[in-house]
């Protein structure tokens, strides 16, 4: 009987010894069932065989038994090394990291027989007004989607499974069994139609293809202006991987994974790629997971969590919009998918391509130092020119507190509409107004659970906390002084800009694009198509619109508040503001017609605005790099955060004080704090922060481990570690 080390798929970090069930054998990386916990008898948890030691001294009678499963192929050595590395680097639980590779709900084999719910003829025609809201939703969902599994139906209609079942009893809904197509569609490389490249694109594509053929670890920065054809160029790398019968992974920020992108892929490759994304249904996830780990999925496009999946044979990783901060996850597990993708490339010996028009300072510095290959695409495709950017100095425009569009911007919108072209007004703020206050007594509406103002959402008639989701009905009377109609909205959100645009341009066709107005992928797609076909004149949008879209008639971009991202002044505030403004600006004039961008700002002399005007990104990054170097900030120094939180304010304070008393002294480290977090209260938890700043080569993890080991723990307080933090709230 052999003894093996098993890593349980739960919040633990060490592997435990088990004996293998009689007449069974296991290999490293295999999934097993295990009993876990002191008195556990039943093997109702899962684990992974992490190692098979030559000798294990644990007395046999102390050992529990593990039972091998064959649900998925064993995890490769490289993937297990990636899990080990990720857990050690992020100081997260190894079992939880492993769960990203083996998400328990997704590893069951896909079902072959499914039961579909559809409407009966009565259900098709009946008037739904007398039905309950939940039942009405089921009927309308089925009228649209025709047939759905119970899981999909309840998900899409947002009802419990009792509702469709109740409708069966009423004769409105019926079910049928069908056997499901589980085969993964296959791309034939000879059916792939890449475009005819420009000389510049061709050279970039050739270099990427060569790297895939070389099967060696190499990082490339594909650095091209918006509209230069970066996507078309990295498609060539995907094709090369296909031809070599290898898999390709494209990571994209959550928000870019739109139907537009998928259609573009389909146009070139003939079929849709396999996607890995939070909006997949459970059945789709299972199907895609199996296709990925059995090597049937040729190209996978996914959000950051797709990085950890057990690809059968990966040939290349592409990270689109590599600078996007959504690659950093800052909840449960704190990790940066871009950085770990590079690690994975290293462990699996394959090329990694970072793609951006506005590279992160980290990647830019590596490219400039020659650590990454640097491929540049400085021209827009087909001779389209880059937009002309100008600032509007709001200090000179004398706007009152309820005006948000300057006369200069309004005049530019007028001119654009007169030319029958489209306008995008960008403001990255959902809702109507970020703050509501009482004119009489000064009362401000704050979230009862968070240190945050309640955001007014006029369309819903509610105030909403954007941090915890707390809602209250929009009040008419001040709860503090009982004055009536004394409440005023302060500042703009996209809904308020909509009102302003409606009154300025009553004839124009206007649409608001934000995560509030575009709840489903399908709805968003419909709106995007309307914009593309010029059924809309003015688009008002949050960052949902900033990326990836291509609207030929859009020639004016007006940024309502260009200074928005600069407030707060965290490490990357300027960098991020530059990136987002550049990206929004890139929506203008993507076809033959030249584009104009107007940035409304109270700080037009700010380096970010000036660099945008001069279209001199590298100068901007150069100055930014020098400042970070001088300050010893990343990428020239290291940072980590400790976040102490507790539902008891005194427990959080006590724990922070204990930590402060035990800060280990070291020449290369500076510990700042404890300070109340800017979001001092979040979801009823009180939060304090430490910032640990160290020199570039300092090993920050052992330092933190040592610190925590020597600090007494306060009851009910939690300490979270964030290595290389992006958020400082
Ligand atoms: P980027 O990713 O750099 O913003 P895209 O790859 O999205 O650029 O290209 C911008 C637009 O130009 C897309 O509509 C794309 O299909 C088109 N395009 C780029 N290169 C070519 C080419 N060589 N032939 C045809 N169309 C191209
Ligand atoms: Zn809240």
């Amino acid at each position: 009987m052999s003894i093996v080390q098993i890593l349980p798929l739960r919040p633990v970090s060490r592997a435990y010894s088990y004996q293998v069930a009689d007449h069974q054998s296991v290999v490293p990386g295999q999934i097993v069932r295990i009993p876990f916990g002191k008195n556990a008898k039943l093997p109702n948890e899962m684990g992974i065989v992490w190692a098979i030691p030559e000798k294990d001294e644990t007395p046999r009678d102390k050992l529990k038994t593990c039972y091998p499963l064959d649900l998925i192929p064993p995890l490769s050595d490289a993937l297990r090394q990636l899990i080990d590395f990720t857990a050690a680097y992020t100081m997260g639980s190894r079992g939880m990291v492993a769960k990203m590779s083996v998400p328990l709900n997704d590893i069951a084999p896909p079902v072959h027989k499914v039961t579909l719910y559809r409407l009966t003829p009565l259900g098709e025609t009946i008037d739904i007004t007398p039905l309950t809201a939940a039942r009405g939703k089921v009927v309308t969902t089925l009228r649209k989607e025709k047939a759905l599994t119970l899981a999909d139906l309840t998900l899409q209609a947002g009802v419990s499974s009792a509702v469709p079942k109740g409708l069966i009893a009423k004769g409105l809904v019926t079910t049928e069994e069908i056997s499901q197509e589980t085969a993964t569609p296959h791309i034939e490389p000879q059916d792939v139609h890449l475009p005819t490249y420009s000389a510049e694109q061709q050279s970039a594509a050739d270099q990427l293809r060569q790297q895939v053929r070389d099967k060696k670890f190499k990082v490339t920065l594909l650095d091209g202006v918006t509209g230069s054809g970066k996507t078309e160029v990295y498609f060539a790398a995907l094709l090369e991987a296909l031809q070599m019968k290898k898999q390709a992974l494209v990571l994209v920020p959550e928000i870019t994974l739109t139907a537009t992108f998928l259609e573009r892929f389909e146009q070139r490759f003939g079929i849709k790629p396999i996607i890995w994304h939070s909006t997949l249904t459970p059945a789709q996830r299972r199907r895609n997971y199996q296709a990925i780990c059995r090597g049937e999925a040729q190209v996978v496009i996914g959000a950051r969590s797709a990085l950890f999946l057990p690809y059968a044979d990966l040939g290349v990783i592409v990270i689109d919009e590599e600078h996007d901060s959504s690659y950093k996850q800052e909840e449960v597990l704190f990790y940066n998918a871009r950085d770990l993708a590079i690690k994975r490339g290293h462990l699996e010996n394959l090329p990694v391509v970072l793609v951006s028009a506005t590279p992160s300072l980290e990647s830019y510095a590596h490219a400039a130092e020659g650590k990454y290959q640097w491929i540049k695409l400085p021209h827009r495709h087909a001779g389209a020119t880059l937009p002309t950017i100008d600032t509007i100095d709001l200090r000179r425009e004398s706007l009152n507190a309820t005006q948000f569009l300057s006369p200069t911007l309004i005049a530019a919108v007028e001119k654009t509409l007169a030319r029958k072209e489209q306008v995008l007004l960008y403001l990255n703020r959902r809702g109507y107004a970020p703050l509501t206050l009482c004119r009489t007594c000064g009362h401000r509406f704050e979230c009862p659970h968070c240190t945050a103002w309640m955001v007014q959402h006029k369309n819903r008639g509610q105030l909403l906390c954007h941090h915890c989701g707390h809602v209250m009905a929009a009040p008419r009377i001040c709860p503090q002084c009982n004055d009536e109609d004394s409440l005023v909205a302060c500042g703009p959100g996209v809904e308020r800009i909509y009102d302003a645009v409606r009154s300025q341009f009553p004839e124009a066709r206007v649409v608001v694009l934000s995560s509030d107005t575009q709840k489903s992928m399908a709805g968003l797609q419909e709106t995007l198509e309307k914009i593309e076909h010029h059924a809309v004149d003015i688009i008002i949008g949050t960052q949902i619109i900033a990326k990836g879209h291509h609207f030929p008639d859009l020639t004016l971009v007006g940024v309502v508040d260009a200074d928005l991202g600069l407030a707060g002044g965290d490490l990357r505030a300027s960098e991020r503001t530059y990136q987002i403004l550049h990206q929004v600006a890139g929506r203008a004039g993507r076809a033959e017609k030249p584009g104009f961008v107007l940035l409304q700002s109270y700080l037009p002399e700010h380096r970010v605005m000036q660099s945008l005007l001069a279209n001199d990104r590298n100068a901007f990054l150069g100055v930014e790099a020098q400042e970070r170097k001088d300050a010893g900030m990343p990428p020239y120094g290291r940072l980590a955060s400790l976040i102490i939180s507790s539902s008891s304010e005194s427990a959080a304070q006590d724990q922070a004080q204990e930590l402060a008393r035990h800060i280990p002294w070291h020449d290369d480290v500076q510990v700042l704090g404890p300070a109340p977090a800017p979001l001092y209260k979040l979801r009823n938890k009180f939060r304090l922060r430490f910032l640990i700043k160290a020199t570039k080569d300092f090993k920050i993890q052992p330092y933190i481990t040592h610190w925590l080991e020597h600090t007494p723990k306060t009851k009910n307080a939690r300490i979270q570690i964030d290595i290389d933090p992006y958020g400082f709230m």
Side-chain angles (χ1 to χ4, degrees):
M1 220 186 320
S2 54
I3 295 183
V4 294
Q5 292 277 309
I6 309 272
L7 176 65
L9 289 162
R10 60 190 341 274
V12 297
S13 275
R14 56 171 280 233
Y16 297 77
S17 295
Y18 282 82
Q19 56 187 333
V20 182
D22 287 342
H23 314 298
Q24 306 254 26
S25 64
V26 297
V27 296
Q30 191 162 358
I31 310 295
V32 290
R33 281 198 168 285
I34 49 166
F36 187 84
K38 254 208 179 79
N39 301 313
K41 296 245 156 26
L42 292 175
N44 50 12
E45 297 228 13
M46 304 265 238
I48 304 172
V49 179
W50 215 250
I52 304 185
E54 289 190 353
K55 227 161 83 201
D56 191 316
E57 305 296 339
T58 322
R60 297 259 153 162
D61 55 345
K62 288 250 154 59
L63 286 178
K64 296 194 169 113
T65 306
C66 70
Y67 302 85
L69 291 175
D70 280 319
L71 290 175
I72 58 169
L75 302 194
S76 68
D77 290 353
L79 181 54
R80 279 179 291 128
Q81 283 172 35
L82 179 72
I83 294 167
D84 284 340
F85 175 87
T86 303
Y89 188 86
T90 64
M91 303 183 72
S93 129
R94 190 155 56 144
M96 294 308 277
V97 175
K99 244 175 126 167
M100 294 200 287
S101 298
V102 187
L104 293 179
N105 291 331
D106 304 328
I107 63 171
V111 275
H112 293 276
K113 282 264 192 234
V114 287
T115 306
L116 290 182
Y117 283 64
R118 51 167 81 244
L119 293 170
T120 60
L122 177 62
E124 285 288 359
T125 48
I126 196 171
D127 173 18
I128 62 164
T129 19
L131 298 181
T132 64
R135 287 183 168 179
K137 269 189 219 144
V138 169
V139 173
T140 34
T141 305
L142 283 178
R143 279 185 186 162
K144 194 154 142 260
E145 304 288 337
K146 300 300 171 214
L148 289 171
T149 62
L150 186 59
D152 288 348
L153 177 56
T154 51
L155 201 73
Q156 289 199 24
V159 299
S160 75
S161 56
V163 183
K165 287 182 177 156
L167 285 170
I168 295 179
K170 292 263 173 248
L172 301 186
V173 168
T174 175
T175 60
E176 65 175 316
E177 278 270 283
I178 60 150
S179 58
Q180 199 175 28
E181 182 59 72
T182 50
T184 309
H186 189 78
I187 309 171
E188 291 297 340
Q190 66 268 22
D191 296 339
V192 177
H193 299 290
L194 295 182
T196 313
Y197 289 126
S198 68
E200 185 176 285
Q201 291 173 334
Q202 186 69 53
S203 147
D206 289 345
Q207 291 178 66
L208 294 183
R209 295 186 78 148
Q210 185 58 45
Q211 287 180 14
V212 177
R213 275 199 296 276
D214 287 345
K215 300 197 242 181
K216 289 222 179 63
F217 172 58
K218 176 159 212 167
V219 185
T220 300
L221 177 62
L222 179 59
D223 173 5
V225 296
T226 47
S228 59
K230 296 185 293 297
T231 314
E232 301 284 4
V233 165
Y234 76 65
F235 277 176
L238 310 183
L239 174 60
E240 188 66 40
L242 289 187
Q243 283 172 338
M244 296 179 59
K245 304 218 180 325
K246 295 220 165 234
Q247 292 170 294
L249 165 63
V250 182
L251 290 182
V252 294
E254 192 90 3
I255 210 165
T256 0
L257 196 56
T258 55
T260 324
F261 183 89
L262 299 177
E263 257 163 36
R264 175 112 165 260
F265 182 92
E266 192 173 4
Q267 217 180 358
R268 298 290 179 216
F269 287 83
I271 58 169
K272 292 219 165 68
I274 300 294
I275 64 175
W276 190 262
H277 189 258
S278 56
T279 60
L280 293 185
T281 65
Q284 288 169 327
R285 286 176 77 91
R286 284 187 192 157
R287 219 154 43 225
N288 291 356
Y289 187 84
Q290 289 293 332
I292 286 166
C293 65
R294 300 193 184 282
E296 291 150 16
Q298 295 161 290
V299 178
V300 178
I301 299 196
R304 62 185 176 224
S305 64
L307 176 68
F308 292 94
L309 299 176
Y311 298 90
D313 190 8
L314 206 49
V316 64
I317 304 177
V318 175
I319 303 157
D320 204 352
E321 313 284 8
E322 67 85 25
H323 61 275
D324 197 291
S325 50
S326 72
Y327 285 121
K328 178 71 194 287
Q329 172 164 301
E330 298 191 338
E331 53 191 38
V332 195
L333 289 167
F334 291 61
Y335 71 92
N336 186 321
R338 177 199 59 208
D339 297 350
L340 291 170
I342 293 172
K343 185 69 190 178
R344 185 160 194 172
H346 180 69
L347 290 168
E348 301 206 19
N349 211 16
L350 50 88
V352 178
V353 185
L354 308 176
V355 183
S356 179
T358 50
S360 62
L361 183 57
E362 281 84 352
S363 302
Y364 174 81
H366 281 129
E369 286 162 21
K371 286 189 194 143
Y372 295 169
Q373 181 167 354
W374 196 354
I375 302 182
K376 296 172 199 169
L377 295 173
H379 304 105
R380 279 193 157 178
H381 170 66
T385 49
L386 285 168
T388 312
I389 304 181
D390 215 340
T391 47
I392 296 175
D393 187 343
L394 288 182
R395 292 168 303 195
R396 302 223 180 103
E397 298 269 337
S398 59
L399 298 181
N400 68 34
T402 56
Q403 282 176 309
F404 308 103
L405 304 177
S406 62
T408 313
L409 181 55
I410 288 171
V413 173
E414 245 157 35
K415 270 198 207 143
T416 311
L417 295 182
R419 286 198 305 267
K420 302 254 175 294
E421 292 167 3
Q422 288 168 304
V423 177
L424 165 64
L425 296 177
Y426 174 77
L427 176 63
N428 196 23
R429 204 189 264 139
R430 292 155 51 209
Y432 183 80
L435 169 67
T436 307
L437 79 88
C438 170
R439 242 183 334 221
T440 312
C441 73
H443 176 75
R444 295 162 174 226
F445 285 83
E446 200 178 351
C447 175
H449 315 296
C450 307
T451 316
W453 307 127
M454 296 293 286
V455 179
Q456 191 173 331
H457 283 246
K458 213 174 175 185
N459 291 345
R460 305 163 45 154
Q462 287 174 330
L463 302 186
L464 187 71
C465 172
H466 283 187
H467 296 283
C468 72
H470 177 75
V471 284
M472 52 171 94
R476 216 174 46 80
I477 297 172
C478 173
Q480 191 163 289
C481 69
N482 293 324
D483 214 359
E484 256 181 68
D485 296 320
S486 65
L487 303 176
V488 285
C490 297
V494 281
E495 285 181 15
R496 197 167 194 181
I497 299 301
Y498 178 82
D499 283 0
V501 166
R502 295 298 313 191
S503 63
Q504 275 292 336
F505 305 100
E507 311 281 272
R509 295 162 299 176
V510 189
V511 59
V512 175
L513 269 159
S514 78
S515 55
D516 295 311
T517 61
Q518 313 295 324
K519 287 222 185 311
S520 70
M521 278 256 255
L524 175 62
Q525 180 57 17
E526 209 172 288
T527 312
L528 292 174
E529 264 164 32
K530 265 168 80 182
I531 300 172
E532 217 166 298
H533 298 132
H534 207 144
V536 169
D537 302 307
I538 302 178
I539 305 134
I540 300 164
T542 61
Q543 59 167 337
I544 195 170
I545 191 78
K547 290 173 191 167
H549 306 295
H550 188 67
F551 307 121
D553 288 340
L554 178 65
T555 56
L556 175 66
V557 170
V559 176
V560 176
D561 184 354
D563 313 332
L564 193 60
L566 294 171
D570 77 47
L571 174 66
R572 294 182 180 82
S574 294
E575 185 189 339
R576 235 172 344 222
T577 304
Y578 186 93
Q579 287 161 346
I580 190 80
L581 292 181
H582 182 94
Q583 219 148 27
V584 180
R587 296 312 107 209
R590 291 184 47 110
E592 306 85 59
K593 300 170 192 146
F596 297 94
V597 181
L598 291 171
L599 309 173
Q600 295 199 132
S601 170
Y602 285 98
L603 308 161
E605 63 285 337
H606 194 286
R607 186 165 84 229
V608 168
M609 312 303 159
Q610 290 301 319
S611 316
L612 283 162
L613 257 57
N615 188 25
D616 199 348
R617 186 201 73 196
N618 290 0
F620 169 76
L621 286 172
V623 177
E624 192 73 13
Q626 192 56 49
E627 281 193 354
R628 299 240 199 123
K629 225 180 236 169
D630 295 343
M633 285 293 188
Y636 307 99
R638 314 209 57 197
L639 289 182
S641 298
L642 290 193
I643 305 134
I644 298 95
S645 63
S646 174
S647 42
S648 143
E649 186 165 16
S650 62
Q653 304 267 9
D654 289 350
Q655 182 66 83
Q657 286 315 320
E658 283 296 355
L659 281 162
R661 271 194 286 278
H662 293 85
I663 297 172
W665 181 84
H666 195 290
D667 258 349
D668 295 339
V669 186
Q670 208 186 337
V671 176
L672 309 167
L679 256 171
Y680 180 51
K681 210 167 104 191
L682 176 63
R683 296 188 192 91
N684 286 326
K685 295 246 171 19
F686 296 88
R687 304 161 71 250
L688 293 119
R689 301 181 69 112
F690 286 91
L691 185 66
I692 304 148
K693 185 167 169 273
T695 51
K696 171 103 185 128
D697 299 319
F698 185 74
K699 296 262 179 293
I700 213 160
Q701 292 88 351
Y703 174 87
I704 295 174
T705 306
H706 176 86
W707 182 7
L708 296 184
E709 275 172 8
H710 289 82
T711 303
K713 296 292 167 308
T714 306
K715 231 176 125 194
N716 298 328
R718 184 156 178 225
I719 305 172
Q720 279 175 312
I721 305 165
D722 185 0
I723 307 287
D724 308 331
Y726 274 61
F728 298 87
M729 295 303 278

